[in-house]
Amino acid sequence: MNTKPPTLLVPPSGPITAHCFRLHPNHALMPSLKQAASIILSRIPENRGGSAFVITAVGSLKDVTLRLANASRADGDDNFGNDIKRYTRRFEIVSLTGTFSRKDGCHLHISLADAEGNTIGGHLIDGVVFTTCEVVLGTADGVEFLREMDRETGYRELVSIQLPEPNTGPSIMNKITTVMLIAAVGCIVGRLRFK
C-alpha cells in the first residue's frame, strides 16, 4: 500500500450556534434542508462566516434517492459515475451528516434503517418525509466553507477557510485614550475660562 502522511489544515473557528427545525410529512428533504441552510446563512454577515453543518437529525422517510459509492474518477475505472438508486419504502433516519456553504452548495450523506433493521446509506440526492424529520444545523463563526476542484479526486472538495476577525470597533485602549484626551481638553478649557 502506497500512502503518504496527510497534510492537515485545521483552522480554528469561533462559537457554534445551533438552529433547530422540523420538517413535516411529505416535505421534500433535500430542498427543505437547502432552504433552511440558505435562510440561516443569510442571517449571518459574510465577514462572520459562511458555513453550516448537520449536528443531528432524526425522523423517517418514505421515498429516498441515494448515490451509492462504487467508483472514483481517480482510480482509472471506466465507470465515472456512481449508481443512483431510488427506494420507495419506509426508513428510519439513523444518521444524516454533511456541510453547507453560502456559495458552493452542500454535500450530505445519510444512513437509513428499514423495517428489518437493514441499513443502507450514501450521498443524499432527495427524500420525502414520512412522519417527521427533526433537524439541528450548526453554524461556526469565523469559518467559510468553499469547494474547489481537487485534481487528485476529480471532484470539488471542501476547503475550510478561517476568516479574519471582524473589526468590532475601537479597542478598549483606544477608548481609554479617547476618554483621557477628552478629559484633558476639558480641564485645559476649564482653566482658561476661569483665568
Side-chain angles (χ1 to χ4, degrees):
M1 180 182 275
N2 211 2
T3 62
K4 61 182 179 181
T7 302
L8 299 176
L9 299 175
V10 184
S13 68
I16 293 175
T17 304
H19 309 268
C20 311
F21 58 94
R22 176 181 174 228
L23 303 178
H24 296 270
N26 299 311
H27 280 175
L29 183 59
M30 186 61 104
S32 298
L33 292 172
K34 287 179 177 179
Q35 180 184 36
S38 177
I39 290 168
I40 291 165
L41 290 172
S42 73
R43 295 176 181 160
I44 300 170
E46 286 195 29
N47 67 341
R48 273 198 36 225
S51 62
F53 47 90
V54 179
I55 294 176
T56 191
V58 296
S60 60
L61 301 177
K62 62 181 179 181
D63 186 344
V64 66
T65 304
L66 304 177
R67 187 178 74 219
L68 307 177
N70 68 350
S72 167
R73 292 183 180 171
D75 67 7
D77 191 334
D78 288 337
N79 180 8
F80 291 112
N82 296 323
D83 289 340
I84 294 178
K85 290 192 177 180
R86 182 176 179 195
Y87 301 89
T88 55
R89 58 184 189 265
R90 295 175 184 166
F91 292 99
E92 287 291 322
I93 298 170
V94 295
S95 175
L96 176 63
T97 187
T99 58
F100 300 85
S101 70
R102 186 186 306 271
K103 300 172 185 168
D104 291 325
C106 64
H107 185 192
L108 299 172
H109 286 200
I110 193 166
S111 294
L112 304 160
D114 67 15
E116 285 80 43
N118 299 310
T119 304
I120 62 168
H123 182 93
L124 178 63
I125 302 296
D126 204 358
V128 178
V129 175
F130 176 51
T131 58
T132 191
C133 185
E134 301 161 6
V135 182
V136 182
L137 297 183
T139 55
D141 285 356
V143 177
E144 178 84 22
F145 289 166
L146 304 173
R147 295 210 164 267
E148 294 180 358
M149 183 55 73
D150 183 317
R151 286 187 282 148
E152 190 174 350
T153 66
Y155 293 99
R156 292 173 48 80
E157 303 289 2
L158 180 71
V159 177
S160 182
I161 305 293
Q162 181 180 3
L163 299 174
E165 288 288 324
N167 184 358
T168 57
S171 70
I172 189 71
M173 287 308 294
N174 286 346
K175 290 178 184 177
I176 291 171
T177 303
T178 302
V179 168
M180 289 176 63
L181 182 61
I182 291 170
V185 168
C187 287
I188 292 171
V189 169
R191 286 187 178 179
L192 291 175
R193 277 186 148 175
F194 292 109
K195 280 191 172 184

